[in-house]
Amino acid sequence: MAEPKRCWTTSDAAYNAYHDDEWGRPVTDERGLYERLCLEGFQSGLSWLTILRKRDNFRAAFAGFDPEHVARFDERDVERLLNDAGIVRHRGKIEAAIANARGTLALREQGNALEQLVWSHRPERHRPPRGNSQLGQAGAVELAAAWLRLVPPHIAGQ
């Protein structure tokens, strides 16, 4: 099988696997969306490759990104995560991931699941990403109203 065409050149296996298997493909389940929201929050100010290389560590540290489990994290867990060299150790980002788990559960309790809220802001027709859009801004505002934190508009509306 021929090597897939990529819009960049890299020899990094994690980056190639991400591009080949995930990039540009919709994520429609709650756990997957929660994971992406958290990872995007941790990525803020860093390269996506940094996050990809730490992704397995993030999954282990954040209970497989199970919102019900992460929502029960307390200050001891925050301290544990701050001491975990396998992830990005930033208190605000860690606390946002925990708050987002709680927000995800609150949405579910209100009958408006995370995946429904996120996908309600998709464009009517697919178009290549162009940074922040009005739909993305609206999605980010609605997610913030649901107490989710560190949600970039390019994630909320695409």
Side-chain angles (χ1 to χ4, degrees):
M1 179 179 222
E3 188 72 16
K5 282 189 167 192
R6 297 187 183 96
C7 54
W8 66 84
T9 304
T10 181
S11 60
D12 190 280
Y15 215 33
N16 288 337
Y18 174 76
H19 179 273
D20 296 347
D21 301 329
E22 294 183 65
W23 187 78
R25 289 173 177 77
V27 178
T28 58
D29 65 295
E30 180 186 80
R31 192 212 54 80
L33 285 168
Y34 171 66
E35 176 179 352
R36 297 321 184 284
L37 291 171
C38 289
L39 293 177
E40 284 283 343
F42 278 101
Q43 185 267 332
S44 181
L46 303 170
S47 81
W48 186 240
L49 186 54
T50 298
I51 301 305
L52 286 177
R53 288 178 177 159
K54 293 178 176 279
R55 191 177 198 183
D56 288 339
N57 296 328
F58 274 110
R59 285 176 172 160
F62 284 92
F65 288 103
D66 175 359
E68 291 187 19
H69 192 120
V70 177
R72 293 190 301 268
F73 281 13
D74 59 17
E75 185 57 34
R76 286 179 310 216
D77 292 295
V78 172
E79 291 302 318
R80 171 183 58 82
L81 293 166
L82 286 169
N83 288 304
D84 186 339
I87 66 167
V88 174
R89 297 177 288 179
H90 183 285
R91 180 177 290 275
K93 293 176 181 184
I94 290 168
E95 290 174 348
I98 296 167
N100 288 350
R102 294 173 182 155
T104 297
L105 297 184
L107 280 171
R108 195 190 303 161
E109 289 172 12
Q110 296 164 8
N112 188 16
L114 177 63
E115 59 273 24
Q116 292 169 329
L117 191 150
V118 169
W119 283 98
S120 72
H121 292 280
R122 72 181 177 275
E124 288 184 28
R125 62 183 182 83
H126 179 74
R127 62 186 183 274
R130 292 200 170 115
N132 296 343
S133 68
Q134 287 180 339
L135 283 171
Q137 293 290 342
V141 167
E142 193 167 346
L143 287 167
W147 302 103
L148 276 79
R149 301 180 348 200
L150 285 175
V151 180
H154 72 276
I155 294 301
Q158 298 200 23

